[in-house]
Structure formats: C-alpha cells, structure tokens
Amino acid sequence: MTMDDEVPQDHILVVDDDPGIRDVVSEFLTRHGFSVDTAGDGREMERAMAKQRPDLVVLDLMLPGEDGLSICRRLARPDGPAVIMLSAMGEETDRIIGLELGADDYLAKPCNPRELLARIRAVMRRRREPRALDETLGAACEFAGWRLDLVRHELRSPQGVVVNLSSGEFSLLRAFVERPQRVLTRDQLLEFARGPQSDAFDRAIDVQISRLRRKLEDSGGEIELIRTVRSEGYIFTPKVTRIA
C-alpha cells in the first residue's frame, strides 16, 4: 500500500465552470484517495451539497451567476466545509479578500495538481488538529467576560450574544487565547492559525485581525483585547481561563 492509498476518504467538491479543469482535478484527487464531486456553478454546488456534505470545497473565483467570493462568504461558518479558492487572476487583492471572507487557502491558476493536493492535505490536517487539542486545552476558554467554545467553535460576548466568526477568524482568535499576554509576530500568527506550510502573508493577517477586532468591539467589548505592538506584532491582553 502506498502513502497515497492511506489518505482518508475525505469528500471534496470541485466548483469550476471549466469542465476540463473539473475533470483533471477530479481524476487526480480520486487517484489519491479522495471522494470527489464536481459542479459548474453555485446552483450545481448547492445540489451536490444537498446530496453529500463536502469536507472541503475547491472553489473557482470567476463563476457564472454567483461569483466565488459570494459563495465563499456563505460557506465561511464554523460548521461549514473548508474552502480553497482558485483564481486565474492571482492578484494580491483577490487573495486578501478571499482569506478575509473565510477561505482556508488560496491558489493562483493554473496550479499544479500536486500543489493543490498538498494544500488540501494541509488544510484538512489543520481542521483535525483543533479537535485533538480540545482534549488537552479544555472545552472552552473565558476572557474578560467572553466565552470561546472550542468544540462548537462558538464565541459569546459578555452580554451572551453569539458572535459569528469565519473559520479563519476562529483559528486566529484561538491562536491568541492559547498564548495570552505575550507578543506574537505576524509570522507566528500565520503559523499558529494556518500552519507552518501556509504561504499567506503579513497583509492577510492584518486584515483578518482588523475584522476580528471590529466584531469584538461591535459586540459590546469594553476593553482592547488585541493590542498592536509597534514593529513587533500583536498581544492578546486579557487573562484567559480554560474550562474543562
């Protein structure tokens, strides 16, 4: 048995309006142990998801009808599938927006199928790691009146209101609560939140921190939870209590 044969049967949904790309990617991923469905647009994607929930969606940015960014926004919820976005444009702005909206990773087209395979495996590995860590860290964390449920991926404000976080925002907040009251550089945050193989960049972290801060402030936060340390990075200021 080869290493490729040992890959778990995760279910992948490839959403791209180019049938040639769908066929090539689907065939390649199937040969490497994945269960794969394909869709040409948002409507076909919804029909496919109704039949079987995917673990990960490979999502093209430019689609007929509803575009990939809009779809990514809808999929970016704690219980949603992982998302890897593809774009023929490959512009930095698109990468920032895609990651900001909750995509787990981003690749420029045309991409090498083996690189896509590596990214899929890395994203799925990161998705599984928090569940393993929950057993040692406790089921939830509390800080400054907030409660972060590490099992349900749910954040509640001091007023008891649930704050919706994208998967990327949850991973970033988790990286902070696991390392409170210490300065974290952008590179460290990228590694802690996205894994050591991530090719994301400083600007993406800055944008995501800005969005996370705004949600915390808009939800009734009375103290500055995430402080910028000039020329060094960021620090999560409150004391964190872990709950079994």
Side-chain angles (χ1 to χ4, degrees):
M1 179 180 290
T2 67
M3 289 186 64
D4 288 338
D5 293 330
E6 296 172 358
V7 177
Q9 275 284 320
D10 290 314
H11 183 60
I12 310 296
L13 177 59
V14 179
V15 185
D16 197 301
D17 62 334
D18 186 326
I21 291 177
R22 292 199 305 269
D23 291 345
V24 169
V25 172
S26 175
E27 180 183 353
F28 185 82
L29 294 179
T30 299
R31 283 195 286 111
H32 287 80
F34 292 93
S35 166
V36 184
D37 280 332
T38 64
D41 56 27
R43 290 184 179 181
E44 290 185 9
M45 180 196 77
E46 293 294 343
R47 288 196 290 270
M49 291 181 66
K51 294 179 181 178
Q52 182 176 0
R53 181 189 181 280
D55 297 293
L56 183 145
V57 176
V58 177
L59 179 64
D60 188 27
L61 176 65
M62 302 298 292
L63 292 170
E66 185 179 13
D67 64 43
L69 291 178
S70 176
I71 292 173
C72 180
R73 184 184 294 111
R74 289 197 289 108
L75 295 177
R77 56 184 188 271
D79 62 343
V83 177
I84 294 181
M85 296 205 70
L86 303 180
S87 173
M89 293 183 289
E91 296 290 338
E92 180 175 307
T93 301
D94 295 322
R95 298 180 66 183
I96 292 172
I97 294 174
L99 293 170
E100 182 181 7
L101 291 177
D104 294 86
D105 210 338
Y106 188 107
L107 273 173
K109 294 168 66 177
C111 63
N112 186 307
R114 288 199 170 275
E115 182 178 4
L116 176 59
L117 174 65
R119 299 294 186 90
I120 289 173
R121 287 175 171 169
V123 167
M124 297 309 301
R125 185 166 57 248
R126 294 201 302 270
R127 282 276 176 134
R128 292 189 183 97
E129 284 172 354
R131 289 196 287 271
L133 287 170
D134 288 340
E135 298 178 2
T136 57
L137 296 177
C141 295
E142 290 185 347
F143 52 89
W146 294 79
R147 181 183 177 94
L148 181 65
D149 191 313
L150 301 173
V151 177
R152 297 180 180 177
H153 287 205
E154 181 181 88
L155 175 66
R156 286 188 178 271
S157 73
Q159 293 75 34
V161 178
V162 175
V163 179
N164 292 321
L165 300 178
S166 70
S167 60
E169 290 162 353
F170 174 84
S171 296
L172 182 59
L173 181 57
R174 183 185 180 115
F176 276 122
V177 301
E178 289 174 355
R179 304 161 183 86
Q181 301 178 331
R182 57 182 269 201
V183 176
L184 300 174
T185 67
R186 290 172 175 82
D187 285 342
Q188 287 176 319
L189 286 168
L190 282 168
E191 179 173 345
F192 295 148
R194 295 185 174 274
Q197 305 305 318
S198 173
D199 74 337
F201 42 97
D202 289 358
R203 176 62 178 149
I205 281 292
D206 290 337
V207 170
Q208 207 156 56
I209 287 176
S210 177
R211 285 177 59 88
L212 182 58
R213 273 175 167 164
R214 188 160 60 247
K215 288 186 177 182
L216 293 172
E217 292 169 359
D218 291 347
S219 300
E222 297 181 356
I223 66 172
E224 184 183 27
L225 299 177
I226 302 172
R227 181 182 303 157
T228 301
V229 181
R230 182 184 287 268
S231 302
E232 293 189 51
Y234 299 92
I235 185 171
F236 192 68
T237 61
K239 180 181 179 181
V240 176
T241 302
R242 287 172 178 157
I243 304 171

